[in-house]
Amino acid sequence: MVIPAKRQVGNTARQQNAKPKLRVAAYCRVSTDKDDQLNSFFAQMRYYTDFVRSNDKMVLVDIYADEGITGTELEKRDEMKRLIRDCKHKKIDRVLVKSVTRFARNSLECIETIRTMKSCGVSVLFETDRIDTEKMNSEMMLYIKSAFAQNESTSASRRMSTSIRMRMEDGTYVATNAPYGYKLV
């Protein structure tokens, strides 16, 4: 039997007692590809990269970022679907998101996604809303925030439709593309 030197035993014990780093992912989304939105998009990604790197208890798994995609339908958001898939494969412990409105604008999909992540052992922190699913004992606040986000999206859509209809009626609407078979004059 070989007895290891004291120094080796100490290092081994310290390594066994050391907590593994929290595997963190960030989710970012902007709904349009306009310059101001793109600046916000890149600022979000830079912020989370720097935030995780500055914390020695965390390691950044990846940044999942849907650019120019609406938050109303999960089906259209490839990066969100990839995030969920990685949560199911146990690659992530925690997800950081700026706000509920960046995460989802559909209250049902928001709650379902959070439940899926929680079932995988993944918590989500919505920074500006101060909602942490790790400490959350009720989904009520999250549901209310996501319902407001959904309503805001629906209202914006209605305003755009009304604006287009009114401009068509008074002859000031200019289409960006001519209908098939026509030329824009």
Side-chain angles (χ1 to χ4, degrees):
M1 181 173 170
V2 177
I3 300 173
K6 273 190 169 185
R7 181 176 208 122
Q8 290 174 336
V9 171
N11 286 340
T12 305
R14 232 181 286 130
Q15 289 170 351
Q16 289 172 352
N17 291 336
K19 275 185 148 180
K21 289 188 175 193
L22 193 64
R23 297 169 301 168
V24 176
Y27 179 73
C28 307
R29 182 188 63 79
V30 292
S31 55
T32 68
D33 54 4
K34 293 180 181 171
D35 287 342
D36 60 331
Q37 290 273 304
L38 290 178
N39 289 335
S40 170
F41 183 70
F42 291 120
Q44 287 177 58
M45 292 194 311
R46 188 173 38 254
Y47 168 78
Y48 286 117
T49 302
D50 294 344
F51 177 78
V52 174
R53 282 187 183 155
S54 69
N55 189 325
D56 60 349
K57 294 178 183 171
M58 296 180 185
V59 61
L60 184 63
V61 174
D62 205 348
I63 294 180
Y64 301 79
D66 284 312
E67 177 186 345
I69 306 291
T70 180
T72 58
E73 294 179 53
L74 180 62
E75 194 54 40
K76 294 179 181 179
R77 298 187 292 153
D78 293 336
E79 286 294 284
M80 175 59 89
K81 291 189 290 189
R82 187 172 71 91
L83 173 62
I84 294 168
R85 207 171 31 253
D86 286 352
C87 289
K88 288 179 179 178
H89 289 120
K90 306 289 187 197
K91 295 180 180 180
I92 300 166
D93 301 314
R94 188 160 179 78
V95 177
L96 305 174
V97 186
K98 181 180 175 183
S99 68
V100 174
T101 60
R102 299 293 96 209
F103 190 76
R105 287 193 178 263
N106 178 316
S107 52
L108 180 60
E109 284 185 355
C110 180
I111 295 297
E112 286 176 348
T113 303
I114 292 298
R115 286 178 181 167
T116 300
M117 289 179 172
K118 283 182 87 168
S119 73
C120 298
V122 177
S123 62
V124 181
L125 173 66
F126 299 98
E127 288 194 292
T128 57
D129 299 313
R130 294 187 177 153
I131 297 174
D132 186 350
T133 63
E134 186 175 51
K135 298 173 182 153
M136 184 172 73
N137 58 5
S138 169
E139 294 175 339
M140 183 62 74
M141 196 57 162
L142 182 59
Y143 180 77
I144 291 169
K145 289 277 190 180
S146 61
F148 274 114
Q150 181 176 335
N151 189 43
E152 182 182 318
S153 179
T154 304
S155 294
S157 180
R158 271 195 219 120
R159 284 192 305 272
M160 286 298 295
S161 295
T162 301
S163 170
I164 291 170
R165 182 181 44 76
M166 290 172 69
R167 285 184 282 146
M168 284 180 166
E169 287 172 0
D170 70 11
T172 59
Y173 179 73
V174 178
T176 54
N177 295 328
Y180 183 73
Y182 290 83
K183 290 182 181 178
L184 203 61
V185 180

